[in-house]
């Protein structure tokens, strides 16, 4: 009887000690995952094709303060600064509405406006994920990359539009 009690007690101690070891590992994993602070080094690791504006497109966008604001947001994101997304959502809504309305007539085409809409969608997704406390760092970096790609595609489309308009095709 004494052996039976001793073996039962040993099994009970073994089971409870295993549970504590698993809980300790879980706590360590949670502490590692809570660091969702995105740094400049994390942003620098993102691989995508970044298109810059052509001189002719820049001349057209000189009076477009909204485009400059979006470009500043992208530049701040490249530095790891997500503070813009903590401000009110009305600023962002007005920003993209005004960007579509103040687009120069040379660039005011369906293809460019579609890229602006995609950029706005990616912006809203990034804004919502950056304000959530449950967002992982990897998910946030992936969304930042999508926003960068959308901005780059907007620049590419505007460059293509101006380049296409500047072509002189001689007709025989």
């Amino acid at each position: 009887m004494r052996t039976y009690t001793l073996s039962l007690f040993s099994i009970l101690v073994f089971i409870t000690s295993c549970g504590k070891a698993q809980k300790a590992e879980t706590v360590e994993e949670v502490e590692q995952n809570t660091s969702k602070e995105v740094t400049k080094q994390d942003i620098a690791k993102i691989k995508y094709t970044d298109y810059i504006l052509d001189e002719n497109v820049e001349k057209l966008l000189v009076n477009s303060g909204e485009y400059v604001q979006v470009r500043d947001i992208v530049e701040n994101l490249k530095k790891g600064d997500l503070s813009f997304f903590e401000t009110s959502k009305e600023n962002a809504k007005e920003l993209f509405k005004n960007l579509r309305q103040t687009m120069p007539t040379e660039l005011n085409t369906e293809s460019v406006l579609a890229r602006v809409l995609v950029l706005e969608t990616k912006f809203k997704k990034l804004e919502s994920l950056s304000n959530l406390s449950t967002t992982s760092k990897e998910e946030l970096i992936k969304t930042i990359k999508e926003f960068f790609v959308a901005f780059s595609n907007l620049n590419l489309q505007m460059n293509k539009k101006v380049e296409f308009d500047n072509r002189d095709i001689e007709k025989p």
Side-chain angles (χ1 to χ4, degrees):
M1 178 75 176
R2 187 171 207 173
T3 328
Y4 177 72
T5 308
L6 185 60
S7 59
L8 185 61
F9 180 71
S10 299
I11 292 172
L12 183 64
V13 169
F14 179 72
I15 291 173
T16 57
S17 67
C18 289
K20 290 180 183 176
Q22 290 176 350
K23 289 179 185 176
E25 290 175 9
T26 306
V27 170
E28 290 176 13
E29 289 176 14
V30 169
E31 288 175 1
Q32 291 174 354
N33 289 338
T34 57
S35 172
K36 76 168 197 171
E37 185 75 23
V38 178
T39 62
K40 186 176 182 178
Q41 291 80 17
D42 295 329
I43 302 292
K45 293 178 185 176
I46 296 175
K47 302 285 186 219
Y48 72 101
T49 305
D50 191 14
Y51 294 101
I52 59 172
L53 289 180
D54 186 57
E55 292 176 9
N56 297 332
V57 179
E58 284 184 12
K59 290 175 186 174
L60 293 172
L61 292 173
V62 166
N63 297 329
S64 178
E66 289 78 14
Y67 178 81
V68 173
Q69 283 181 325
V70 173
R71 187 176 58 203
D72 290 343
I73 292 169
V74 170
E75 292 301 319
N76 287 337
L77 272 176
K78 288 181 181 179
K79 296 174 186 172
D81 181 17
L82 297 172
S83 63
F84 183 82
F85 299 104
E86 297 169 3
T87 60
S88 72
K89 293 182 179 183
E90 292 301 318
N91 293 342
K93 186 177 181 180
E94 289 296 318
L95 174 67
F96 286 101
K97 180 181 176 184
N98 292 337
L99 179 62
R100 284 190 299 270
Q101 291 175 348
T102 61
M103 190 66 66
T105 55
E106 294 86 355
L107 298 173
N108 198 359
T109 62
E110 290 182 16
S111 59
V112 172
L113 294 177
R115 299 311 186 280
V116 172
L117 183 62
V118 170
L119 182 66
E120 180 181 9
T121 304
K122 298 301 180 184
F123 178 87
K124 288 180 180 179
K125 181 179 178 182
L126 179 58
E127 180 181 39
S128 65
L129 286 178
S130 67
N131 291 330
L132 286 176
S133 61
T134 58
T135 305
S136 68
K137 186 175 184 177
E138 292 78 23
E139 188 176 18
L140 194 58
I141 290 173
K142 180 183 172 190
T143 309
I144 290 172
K145 179 181 178 179
E146 290 175 358
F147 180 70
F148 286 163
V149 169
F151 182 72
S152 182
N153 287 340
L154 173 64
N155 289 343
L156 175 64
Q157 191 62 41
M158 289 189 293
N159 287 342
K160 283 182 171 182
K161 172 67 175 127
V162 170
E163 180 183 343
F164 181 76
D165 289 346
N166 288 337
R167 279 193 308 182
D168 289 332
I169 300 174
E170 292 183 21
K171 295 184 180 181

